[in-house]
Amino acid sequence: MFRGEWNLALETLCDILIEEEIPLNLKAYQLLQEVGNILNMERETWEMLKVQVTP
């Protein structure tokens, strides 16, 4: 899988989580953030999910 495909996969996952308003625990959010940083993606890709993080 090429790097662009990984970016698209993460972007799609984040879009689905946002659209479906699926709650995330902090660890899941941190993993999305870590992968996004590794792929040099824009923070907006996952930052919108911050409001869905549950304690």
Side-chain angles (χ1 to χ4, degrees):
M1 190 180 256
F2 295 104
R3 186 175 201 113
E5 291 174 336
W6 285 109
N7 289 45
L8 180 59
L10 181 62
E11 197 172 305
T12 302
L13 174 60
C14 289
D15 286 345
I16 291 168
L17 292 169
I18 291 166
E19 287 176 23
E20 299 295 324
E21 298 179 5
I22 297 170
L24 301 168
N25 63 30
L26 183 58
K27 181 64 177 172
Y29 178 79
Q30 290 172 333
L31 287 171
L32 291 170
Q33 186 177 34
E34 184 178 342
V35 172
N37 285 326
I38 290 169
L39 296 173
N40 295 314
M41 296 181 71
E42 297 198 14
R43 299 180 62 85
E44 293 80 29
T45 306
W46 64 86
E47 279 190 340
M48 293 175 59
L49 289 164
K50 201 178 278 190
V51 297
Q52 292 170 225
V53 175
T54 59

